[in-house]
Amino acid sequence: MTGLLPTSLLPRSLAGRVFAVFSLTMVVFLGTGMGLFYRYQFLQHVDETQDAALTLVEVAAQNIEDSVVIGDYDTVQRTLGKMLFQSPFKSAAFIDVAGGTLRVQAPKVERAPAPAWLSRLIASKLYEVNRVASVGGRDYGVIRLDFDADKIAAQLWALVIETATFALIAFAVGLALMRTLLKRWLASLGRLHSFENDVAAGRVTAEAALHADAPTEIEEAIRAVNRSAASLRVQFGQRIDSLTNSLMQHKSAVDQAAIVCEVDTQGRIIGVNELFERSSGFARQEALGRELLDFGRPAGSDAPWQPSTGVWNGEVVFDGRAGRLQWYRTIVPIFDAGGTLERYLCIDIDITERKEFERAIVENAKRQTLIAELGRKALAMNDLDELFQDAAQAAAQGLGAPCAALFENTQSGNAPGRQLMVRSGAGRLSQTIGLQLGCAGDPLSGAPASGLRPWFAPLAAMHGLRSGLDAGVGAFGVLGAYTDNGRRFDDDDAVFLRGIANILGTAIERQEARKRLTWLAQYDSLTNLPNRRQLGTCLEDAIAQAGRDGHRAAVMFIDLDRFKNVNDMLGHGAGDQLLVQAAARLEACARTDNVVARLGGDEFAVVLPWLEGEQKESPAAAELAGRIVEALAQPFHLQGQQLFVSASIGIAVYPEDGSSAGQLLKSADTAMYGAKNNGRNTWQFYSAALHENAAQRIQLESQLRLALERGEFLLHYQPKLDLAGGSISGFEALLRWQHPQRGLVPPLEFISILEDTGLILPVGEWVIGEVCRQLGAWAAAGLPVPPVAINLSARQLQQADLAELIERIVVGAGVDPGLLEFELTESMLMVNPEAAVAILSRIKALGMRLSVDDFGTGYSSLAYLKRFPLDALKIDRTFVRDLPDDPDDAAITKAVIRLAHSLSLKVVAEGVENIAQLRELEQYDCDEIQGYYVSRPLPAADCVALLERAEQALAA
């Protein structure tokens, strides 16, 4: 039973425990029996009720069927009512085949209510009784009986109450009978009290009495008590002897473990043990006869010991021969047999080391508290001067020093002759803040035994300081604490001071990081120019000032043309170098009151806070934009080679083009795109028309993304004429866009958009494939197939696998590679000449021709020109347009032709529109011409006639 119940719930007496076991057993058996009985009664009652219902409905069915046949429904109703009399049904009903219902409810009978759960349980076990009323094979309706679960539950619940009441009465009678018997049987145990009293009175031979009517178990218990008493009498003498021997051993152990002395009633020492002599350093003869107080005074404010009859204890301090000692003392009075005070026994425990350890713990806790508090302040404070002052005070307080100071290294680097300035001080050094001290080298080198550095000597002499301890605060300086008593600081002191110094170092680093983050939030880390956020602030300030003073302000939006080519060809490292150089050129061009900023990527901006004059398109702004365009057009020297980029600049003016920084930047951005559309390398003031053009550009870009999928691109072919033979020598494939609403869109409107968005790559691949397909179609038709030139874009030339891509398309189409020629502008070639040479060499190795288009309009180098594997030069139309009237154009054209022929290159002149230009070019020994004089660009179908004439000419 002890394992079933907690000890606190168990009865203390044997009678109580027996009674409890009996009670628990009765409860278990009664509960189990009653539960089984109720379950049986429940199931039997339900089955009987269901069977009785079926029998009843069968009995009544005959009468109901007879009455239904003749239509006597009153008899049916009376029969249903009789069925409900003293029955378990709630209602009875007859439902005819037409749906008519005749229902009779049972009369209500008042009964004691049963629990709802019992009603639900009975309802779940019983089911409706349905009996079909049929006569002669014809169904007249259904007899339906509904059980009254509440009535049945009430009957069962009444049975439960009656049986439970009877069981409780039987349980109570059984408990009363058991309690009476237990009291009588256990009464003999009470007689053991008299035996206890005899033993307490000293009658050690006493025995407990036995009674004949006691139960056998109780008799055995009394006999066991008597046997135990006899055994105890035998052992008693043995234990006294053992105790005496133990006391002697304990005295010896105390002499070994404690400092013991005996004191007479006057407080004088009359005896000491050996440990007293060893600990105090005094010999026995020196200690005897002296006052006990000479060997220890109370450590605190407690009163010293005086002879008395009470026990005294406390801590005492004693100056022994080996130094100051601290003992915990207990003085116990010793009395003789008559109760008279005889002497005192003084027991001391040496707690010197423990007290020193406790002092160290307290000191360390104090220091840790100071460090934690300083650390909390370092996290919360933004004012370093206040933190420096708190650190000096914490160092002085934690080390118990009269003064401390923080010295700042005011000269960076390791050069000799640096200066240390007192940044903060505590105690005597608080008045020296701002004082400069000379230091010949490392401020933490050359410390003598006193800990005072050579550079600290002037302050030490001024304030009488004799020793010190310092620690470095990173590159910032030195934190030191100093004393005037020559104290030697230990390792724990050094660790504490380094902790303070580390907190200061971290706080200083955090402050520097915060300043750096603030700077990064406002400036570009690559060029050190203001960033977009700072530019917005400066532009808003300029707008506000212009609004107050009534003058104009402006902002320039600058974008580097073809900068992405540099990144793609040479890598982002070279691109970053170019941006740094471009930023330097912009700052050199700007005036002192201008703000040059980098917006991100290859975009820059210049704020002009003051524009003079009444014109919106300020001459000063135009002049500055021209200087910037010219400066950025100069070659950049990167990675041992010259690179050329240009700039497109958009200018927006306050207040005409916007009243806020955002509006002005947006207008300047729109103007910049206008400059790009005008051929790049120029500048443009904002106008409303540019905004419309920008919106149209966005719309075109969206439409172009779907044009390739929808098959809206097509190629026109412009023939080239061989001047020597007068025959068609080839075609140039030109991209056209058949817009579903606008028809053919001029190439100038969409080619640049394809370049900027990167759509030129898939479109360019389509052009190569379409040319190959067309060449195959002409060959299949039996026509003479001339070479066809294809323009490559700058974005395509940046593809490292361009040659492989072309080879895959040409091989897949089964076209002779010699029928393909690729044209590139000299500006494209000069972005990254080394990479261009490698890519063009691989294309040339495939058997295809290469030519430079628009020669003379870019920044080509003859040294690079002869390295490119070229086959032809195409003279730009700007030099042909004014022939033969313009002598300058004539001289340039003649020189280009001679240069090309000297390099074994064929020359093609573009833009030939009349016979005079043709004759002039014939005189210059030009090889081929191309232009409207020969033919406009033609659809592929219209080229068939030219090829057929060429075939006929060959046949003739």
Side-chain angles (χ1 to χ4, degrees), residues 354-679:
R354 192 191 77 187
K355 283 296 181 180
E356 184 63 26
F357 181 69
E358 290 177 354
R359 185 200 64 78
I361 291 177
V362 172
E363 187 69 21
N364 184 62
K366 173 185 173 183
R367 290 178 176 181
Q368 293 302 321
T369 300
L370 290 172
I371 290 177
E373 181 63 20
L374 186 66
R376 185 191 63 78
K377 292 180 179 178
L379 291 174
M381 283 184 182
N382 292 324
D383 184 4
L384 285 182
D385 289 334
E386 184 178 352
L387 182 64
F388 291 161
Q389 187 62 37
D390 290 342
Q393 292 176 355
Q397 184 179 353
L399 294 174
C403 57
L406 175 64
F407 303 91
E408 180 182 1
N409 181 8
T410 57
Q411 182 174 343
S412 61
N414 297 319
R418 70 178 66 188
Q419 294 288 320
L420 292 176
M421 181 185 72
V422 181
R423 186 65 183 270
S424 66
R428 303 177 189 177
L429 298 180
S430 61
Q431 304 300 321
T432 63
I433 296 177
L435 181 66
Q436 297 280 347
L437 298 174
C439 179
D442 184 359
L444 293 177
S445 64
S450 65
L452 297 178
R453 308 285 180 182
W455 52 265
F456 189 73
L459 281 179
M462 184 184 306
H463 295 282
L465 302 175
R466 298 172 54 193
S467 66
L469 177 68
D470 53 29
V473 185
F476 180 81
V478 179
L479 175 66
Y482 307 95
T483 68
D484 54 4
N485 56 10
R487 168 187 169 187
R488 294 293 183 264
F489 295 94
D490 57 23
D491 292 341
D492 291 338
D493 298 330
V495 169
F496 168 72
L497 192 63
R498 282 198 297 271
I500 298 291
N502 290 339
I503 291 176
L504 287 180
T506 303
I508 293 170
E509 291 177 0
R510 186 184 301 109
Q511 185 76 352
E512 292 297 327
R514 186 182 293 113
K515 292 180 180 179
R516 175 66 177 168
L517 289 175
T518 302
W519 186 87
L520 289 175
Q522 299 175 348
Y523 290 87
D524 175 52
S525 59
L526 178 64
T527 62
N528 293 331
L529 294 177
N531 60 13
R532 181 182 291 271
R533 177 182 295 179
Q534 184 68 5
L535 172 76
T537 302
C538 296
L539 186 54
E540 289 290 358
D541 293 342
I543 291 173
Q545 185 66 37
R548 289 192 296 269
D549 298 344
H551 60 80
R552 287 184 173 85
V555 63
M556 294 182 178
F557 199 106
I558 305 168
D559 184 82
L560 300 183
D561 302 323
R562 296 182 297 277
F563 173 75
K564 188 177 185 304
N565 298 345
V566 178
N567 269 343
D568 293 341
M569 290 292 187
L570 301 181
H572 290 279
D576 289 345
Q577 295 178 30
L578 190 148
L579 290 173
V580 172
Q581 294 183 27
R585 296 183 187 184
L586 288 174
E587 289 188 296
C589 293
R591 299 183 309 194
T592 56
D593 62 338
N594 298 156
V595 177
V596 181
R598 182 189 176 202
L599 302 180
D602 60 348
E603 297 176 344
F604 295 86
V606 179
V607 176
L608 289 71
W610 184 284
L611 291 180
E612 297 180 353
E614 298 297 328
Q615 298 179 359
K616 171 182 178 293
E617 298 185 358
S618 167
E623 188 269 337
L624 176 59
R627 288 205 313 269
I628 292 175
V629 168
E630 182 180 356
L632 294 178
Q634 301 304 312
F636 290 86
H637 297 276
L638 299 174
Q639 298 182 358
Q641 58 181 303
Q642 290 184 347
L643 294 180
F644 293 90
V645 298
S646 58
S648 298
I649 303 176
I651 309 173
V653 179
Y654 170 83
E656 288 84 356
D657 301 332
S659 59
S660 67
Q663 291 175 343
L664 279 182
L665 282 173
K666 183 178 180 181
S667 298
D669 187 21
T670 302
M672 182 269 295
Y673 276 107
K676 282 186 177 292
N677 293 334
N678 290 336

Side-chain angles (χ1 to χ4, degrees), residues 103-402:
R103 184 179 301 275
V104 178
Q105 299 289 339
K108 290 187 177 180
V109 179
E110 296 295 333
R111 296 183 181 89
W117 61 266
L118 184 58
S119 298
R120 290 194 298 271
L121 182 61
I122 291 173
S124 66
K125 298 294 183 178
L126 296 175
Y127 53 86
E128 291 180 345
V129 178
N130 292 292
R131 170 70 161 77
V132 178
S134 62
V135 179
R138 177 183 177 185
D139 294 338
Y140 288 90
V142 176
I143 304 170
R144 178 170 297 169
L145 300 178
D146 294 327
F147 286 101
D148 190 346
D150 292 337
K151 182 190 298 184
I152 300 172
Q155 294 172 355
L156 286 176
W157 186 248
L159 178 61
V160 170
I161 297 300
E162 292 173 0
T163 54
T165 302
F166 176 77
L168 288 177
I169 293 172
F171 179 65
V173 171
L175 291 181
L177 180 60
M178 186 63 184
R179 185 172 183 81
T180 302
L181 293 175
L182 280 176
K183 283 186 176 181
R184 182 172 179 180
W185 291 338
L186 299 178
S188 298
L189 292 178
R191 298 187 180 93
L192 289 175
H193 289 294
S194 62
F195 172 71
E196 179 185 5
N197 295 332
D198 291 342
V199 174
R203 293 189 290 274
V204 295
T205 59
E207 290 186 353
L210 292 174
H211 298 275
D213 61 343
T216 303
E217 291 81 0
I218 295 176
E219 288 181 0
E220 288 297 329
I222 293 175
R223 290 191 184 96
V225 169
N226 290 334
R227 287 194 298 270
S228 298
S231 177
L232 288 175
R233 284 192 292 272
V234 173
Q235 297 175 10
F236 183 72
Q238 297 174 353
R239 296 298 295 274
I240 290 177
D241 294 338
S242 176
L243 181 59
T244 302
N245 183 47
S246 178
L247 288 175
M248 296 301 295
Q249 293 179 8
H250 287 169
K251 181 180 182 303
S252 176
V254 169
D255 286 340
Q256 295 296 324
I259 304 167
V260 181
C261 66
E262 293 184 9
V263 182
D264 62 17
T265 57
Q266 301 301 317
R268 290 186 296 272
I269 298 176
I270 58 176
V272 297
N273 66 354
E274 293 181 3
L275 189 56
F276 183 95
E277 295 182 79
R278 290 198 304 270
S279 299
S280 67
F282 288 88
R284 183 187 304 274
Q285 296 302 321
E286 293 177 298
L288 295 178
R290 294 183 61 177
E291 296 285 341
L292 179 62
L293 294 180
D294 294 340
F295 292 90
R297 295 278 179 176
S301 58
D302 296 339
W305 172 77
Q306 296 292 334
S308 66
T309 57
V311 176
W312 185 93
N313 49 48
E315 296 179 5
V316 296
V317 177
F318 168 45
D319 291 326
R321 292 284 171 79
R324 173 159 289 196
L325 303 173
Q326 196 160 356
W327 292 348
Y328 185 82
R329 173 165 292 174
T330 300
I331 303 175
V332 181
I334 306 298
F335 300 92
D336 59 15
T340 303
L341 181 63
E342 185 178 59
R343 66 184 184 281
Y344 294 95
L345 186 64
C346 178
I347 303 173
D348 292 316
I349 304 297
D350 192 347
I351 59 173
T352 305
E353 292 184 0
R354 192 191 77 187
K355 283 296 181 180
E356 184 63 26
F357 181 69
E358 290 177 354
R359 185 200 64 78
I361 291 177
V362 172
E363 187 69 21
N364 184 62
K366 173 185 173 183
R367 290 178 176 181
Q368 293 302 321
T369 300
L370 290 172
I371 290 177
E373 181 63 20
L374 186 66
R376 185 191 63 78
K377 292 180 179 178
L379 291 174
M381 283 184 182
N382 292 324
D383 184 4
L384 285 182
D385 289 334
E386 184 178 352
L387 182 64
F388 291 161
Q389 187 62 37
D390 290 342
Q393 292 176 355
Q397 184 179 353
L399 294 174

Side-chain angles (χ1 to χ4, degrees), residues 27-104:
V27 169
V28 170
F29 278 103
L30 278 176
T32 304
M34 295 294 289
L36 294 174
F37 172 75
Y38 291 149
R39 183 177 182 276
Y40 171 76
Q41 287 295 323
F42 172 77
L43 296 176
Q44 183 181 23
H45 193 74
V46 169
D47 291 341
E48 290 177 352
T49 300
Q50 193 74 51
D51 293 342
L54 294 175
T55 302
L56 182 60
V57 75
E58 287 296 334
V59 172
Q62 182 64 42
N63 191 24
I64 292 175
E65 289 172 350
D66 294 340
S67 300
V68 168
V69 171
I70 61 176
D72 186 3
Y73 286 97
D74 290 337
T75 302
V76 173
Q77 183 172 7
R78 285 194 300 273
T79 302
L80 293 176
K82 292 178 180 179
M83 291 175 63
L84 295 178
F85 180 72
Q86 294 185 348
S87 70
F89 302 118
K90 179 168 57 178
S91 64
F94 176 76
I95 304 172
D96 59 20
V97 293
T101 301
L102 182 62
R103 184 179 301 275
V104 178

Side-chain angles (χ1 to χ4, degrees), residues 743-908:
L744 283 176
V745 179
L748 289 178
E749 287 190 29
F750 70 89
I751 294 295
S752 62
I753 300 177
L754 292 177
E755 288 272 5
D756 293 340
T757 59
L759 292 172
I760 194 66
L761 297 178
V763 173
E765 185 176 345
W766 175 85
V767 169
I768 297 173
E770 178 63 17
V771 168
C772 291
R773 188 198 64 78
Q774 188 60 58
L775 288 173
W778 286 337
L783 299 173
V785 181
V788 177
I790 301 173
N791 290 286
L792 285 179
S793 69
R795 295 292 289 271
Q796 288 176 285
L797 192 60
Q798 296 167 17
Q799 293 179 279
D801 62 342
L802 177 61
E804 290 75 10
L805 173 66
I806 294 174
E807 181 181 14
R808 185 169 63 252
I809 296 174
V810 172
V811 171
V815 175
D816 180 7
L819 295 177
L820 293 178
E821 178 180 342
F822 291 98
E823 297 183 1
L824 309 99
T825 65
E826 55 180 326
S827 299
M828 291 164 50
L829 296 173
M830 297 309 297
V831 171
N832 188 352
E834 297 294 339
V837 168
I839 294 174
L840 295 180
S841 297
R842 292 200 296 272
I843 297 176
K844 181 71 175 177
L846 296 175
M848 303 167 192
R849 297 167 54 83
L850 299 170
S851 62
V852 177
D853 196 10
D854 301 334
F855 186 77
T857 60
Y859 296 92
S860 60
S861 168
L862 295 180
Y864 277 110
L865 188 63
K866 69 179 183 179
R867 293 182 56 192
F868 294 129
L870 300 175
D871 297 288
L873 293 181
K874 298 187 73 173
I875 302 175
D876 188 69
R877 66 182 68 249
T878 57
F879 301 112
V880 177
R881 181 175 52 211
D882 295 330
L883 291 178
D885 301 328
D886 191 326
D888 293 335
D889 286 345
I892 292 174
T893 302
K894 190 183 302 182
V896 170
I897 293 174
R898 290 176 180 174
L899 170 65
H901 286 165
S902 67
L903 296 175
S904 301
L905 300 178
K906 186 172 65 174
V907 180
V908 181

